[in-house]
Amino acid sequence: AEAARGQVEVLKGEIAEAQSQLQRAQAAEAQAELAGYHKLLDALPHPAWVRGRDGRLVWRNIAFAEALEPKDRKAPDPSTELFDRATLREAEEARVSSGLWSARAHATVGGERRPFQAFEVLRDGGAIGIALDLSESEALRTEKDRQNRAYKAA
C-alpha cells in the first residue's frame, strides 16, 4: 500500500510537470501567432492597432506610428491616438453596442487632414482596428469629376 501511494505521488508529479510543459508550449505558440499577426499588420501601409480592455492602445503598427510622426522626427507618445476624441467616443459606443465600428473618419497625417475608412472590432480582451487612407481614391475621383465637367463644357 505504501509503495502504491509512492507511485501515485510520482505520477501526480509527472502529470503536473506535463501540464506545465503543455501550458508553456501553448503560451509560446500563442506568442508566435501574435508575432506573426503583428508582422503582417506592420507590412500594411494602413494604420492598425490593438486596444486593451480599458480601451487604451496596447499596440500599433509601423504605419500608425509613421502617420503620427511629427515634423521634428521625434517618436510620438505611445498613447497618442489617430482620431479625435469625438470619433473615439463614437467608436467605443459602437463597439459596446454591436461589437463593430465602421465609419468614415478624418485624421491629421503629416500636417494634412486626410479621410479614412476605419474599422474596429471587439475581441476578447479589447479591440483591434485598421484605418484605410482614402486620400488617393478621393484625389482620383476629384480629377475624374473635373475632367467630366471639362468634357461637358466643351
Side-chain angles (χ1 to χ4, degrees):
E2 189 65 33
R5 274 192 223 120
Q7 286 179 336
V8 167
E9 290 305 313
V10 168
L11 286 174
K12 282 182 181 179
E14 289 175 357
I15 290 171
E17 177 59 28
Q19 287 174 330
S20 178
Q21 287 176 356
L22 177 62
Q23 288 172 345
R24 284 193 300 272
Q26 288 172 332
E29 186 177 322
Q31 280 300 111
E33 186 174 344
L34 181 60
Y37 288 130
H38 285 178
K39 189 174 181 178
L40 172 65
L41 292 172
D42 273 335
L44 295 176
H46 307 288
W49 60 92
V50 176
R51 296 186 184 285
R53 289 185 196 286
D54 62 359
R56 293 183 184 167
L57 293 171
V58 294
W59 181 85
R60 57 190 184 187
N61 71 346
I62 293 168
F64 189 118
E66 287 175 350
L68 297 177
E69 192 171 87
K71 291 184 173 95
D72 62 12
R73 308 294 287 171
K74 290 181 184 172
D77 182 293
S79 65
T80 302
E81 293 280 358
L82 185 63
F83 299 113
D84 62 30
R85 287 188 181 136
T87 302
L88 294 172
R89 269 193 305 275
E90 175 190 316
E92 183 178 8
E93 289 169 6
R95 280 193 325 268
V96 168
S97 68
S98 70
L100 168 69
W101 172 62
S102 173
R104 189 177 176 98
H106 287 81
T108 302
V109 176
E112 180 182 316
R113 189 163 164 81
R114 292 190 188 176
F116 287 88
Q117 180 64 45
F119 304 89
E120 197 169 89
V121 294
L122 202 57
R123 67 173 181 89
D124 188 28
I128 187 166
I130 190 165
L132 307 176
D133 190 341
L134 302 176
S135 300
E136 190 172 325
S137 64
E138 282 203 355
L140 290 172
R141 184 178 23 203
T142 300
E143 177 60 19
K144 180 182 152 215
D145 290 347
R146 186 194 65 75
Q147 289 177 1
N148 285 340
R149 282 192 307 275
Y151 176 76
K152 288 176 184 177

